Amino acid sequence: MSRLDSFIRRLQAQRACLSEAVEQIRGVDGFVLELGLGNGRTYDHLREICPDREIYVFDRQVNAHPDCVPAEDHLFLGEITATLPQALARLGANAALVHTDVGTGDQKSNERLAATIAPMMRGIMLVGGIVISDQALPAPGLTPLALPDGVKPGRYFMNRAV
Amino acid sequence: MSRLDSFIRRLQAQRACLSEAVEQIRGVDGFVLELGLGNGRTYDHLREICPDREIYVFDRQVNAHPDCVPAEDHLFLGEITATLPQALARLGANAALVHTDVGTGDQKSNERLAATIAPMMRGIMLVGGIVISDQALPAPGLTPLALPDGVKPGRYFMNRAV
């Protein structure tokens, strides 16, 4: 499979997981965290599918399309290991949905980052909340969920906070 | 439509146009030009769907995944307005397929670049060759082709050299 094919499948998987998660958190009243703004495409999608929820965004710096830059009071800039604790202090453990796509081309470094943030992630989530991620997130209190139809295991990850 | 939806459709359109063009140039014995290597995804796809053709790649500099970097003698580095004439001098007017995706976020600048390279593009192509592009390419000797099923007009462009 070419990298173009693989990339299209990854984006479709991401979108399918987001839709599925939004369905599953209907009864969980909380906010949305987007870890990794990037060019802002997924943030824009989250705004569309979660019009009634507060969305907070995390990134090292803003490189997004001007239409996809969150308001300053919904933006945490800096290293995620520093900004997640800041968000917890300010917002409490009230996240119903977390999407994290902070991976780079370096798989080893991705795994290290995932292992660091996985336990922090659970700490900011409501019970019943869902985290969707481009890396596996093994952590106490996070239970892997079945992926939507058509999403190959390992292409994307969904976990519920229990 | 969110930017994520729109981006997925654009990539699907790109892939559909490439497949269609490869079918249509079966009888045209020539090489492939990829204008804009970027991260190398489309180049990787072109290698897969055109295994028997020479592929030459153009970009300002190499930022691609290491697996997707062409051999040095198949790479033209620099401004496209300088490298296209170099390619013509070295390879002759022998391109059967050209894919150009050199757009940036700035639509005005994209249109200027497209207007500049469109006539140069025709000059390097064989009659019957096809150029697929992210911008309209109005130029003498280039005839717009119908897009594959499911591709919305304006999302991607196909022209045949006549």
Side-chain angles (χ1 to χ4, degrees), chain B residues 2 21 44 48-50 64 66 87 97 121 124 130-131 134 138 144 151 158:
Chain B
S2 76
D44 190 47
E48 193 176 285
I49 64 175
C50 301
L97 177 61
M121 206 89 80
I124 201 169
I130 292 179
V131 51
D134 64 332
V151 178
M158 289 180 73

Side-chain angles (χ1 to χ4, degrees), chain B residues 22 27 41 91 105 109 123 133 146 150 161:
Chain B
V22 167
R41 277 193 298 259
L91 308 170
S109 127
S133 51

Side-chain angles (χ1 to χ4, degrees), chain A residues 2-3 5 15 44-45, chain B residues 2-3 5 12 15 44-45:
Chain A
S2 76
R3 282 178 181 271
D5 288 324
R15 181 171 62 177
D44 190 47
H45 195 70
Chain B
S2 76
R3 282 178 181 271
D5 288 324
Q12 288 171 325
R15 182 171 60 177
D44 190 47
H45 196 69

Side-chain angles (χ1 to χ4, degrees), chain B residues 52-63:
Chain B
D52 300 324
R53 294 183 190 260
E54 300 280 321
I55 306 176
Y56 295 92
V57 177
F58 300 71
D59 211 331
R60 284 204 182 91
Q61 68 261 326
V62 172
N63 288 320

Side-chain angles (χ1 to χ4, degrees), chain B residues 112-129:
Chain B
R112 269 197 307 273
L113 182 60
T116 308
I117 60 175
M120 301 170 70
M121 206 89 80
R122 175 62 191 90
I124 201 169
M125 293 175 71
L126 291 160
V127 170

Side-chain angles (χ1 to χ4, degrees), chain B residues 77-88:
Chain B
L77 289 183
E79 290 300 319
I80 195 78
T81 45
T83 52
L84 260 186
Q86 288 165 15
L88 178 59

Side-chain angles (χ1 to χ4, degrees), chain A residues 102-126:
Chain A
V102 291
T104 63
D106 177 354
Q107 187 53 26
K108 280 270 168 257
S109 128
N110 291 346
E111 284 168 14
R112 269 197 307 272
L113 181 61
T116 307
I117 62 177
M120 301 169 71
M121 206 89 79
R122 175 62 191 93
I124 200 168
M125 293 174 72
L126 292 160

